[in-house]
Amino acid sequence: MKEYIEERAINVANYIIEHNATVRQAAKAFGISKSTVHKDVTERLEYINPFLAGEARKVLDVNKSERHIRGGMATKEKYTHHMCTTDR
């Protein structure tokens, strides 16, 4: 594996852990795709630093279990804002 990929995988995992970030947030912060973030953290990092991979995986698992809640809140906010602007 190329050195820059290993460094990126470590940096992405550290970012996810430090910021409690989602895959989408990490992808945006590093300018890479969501699938690259996922592959870096779940596959590549296992060979580089298994402990760091496990810690990042814990954050991603929590985010995955909560995503339906965040999506519902975003939809509620969208329509609450939409109703406020159309009532005028």
Side-chain angles (χ1 to χ4, degrees), residues 4-16:
Y4 77 92
I5 294 175
E6 290 181 5
E7 287 179 24
R8 182 187 66 211
I10 291 167
N11 291 336
V12 168
N14 284 325
Y15 179 85
I16 289 170

Side-chain angles (χ1 to χ4, degrees), residues 63-74:
N63 287 338
K64 186 177 181 181
S65 71
E66 295 174 347
R67 70 181 173 191
H68 67 284
I69 296 168
R70 283 192 302 275
M73 290 169 50

Side-chain angles (χ1 to χ4, degrees), residues 6-59:
E6 290 181 5
E7 287 179 24
R8 182 187 66 211
I10 291 167
N11 291 336
V12 168
N14 284 325
Y15 179 85
I16 289 170
I17 294 165
E18 290 170 14
H19 295 92
N20 204 26
T22 63
V23 170
R24 187 177 297 245
Q25 290 167 334
K28 187 174 182 180
F30 286 86
I32 56 179
S33 71
K34 293 183 299 182
S35 58
T36 299
V37 169
H38 192 266
K39 185 167 186 136
D40 279 355
V41 174
T42 60
E43 293 179 26
R44 294 180 177 128
L45 201 56
E46 282 292 326
Y47 297 106
I48 302 165
N49 186 333
F51 177 76
L52 186 61
E55 294 300 305
R57 189 76 200 160
K58 287 178 191 174
V59 174

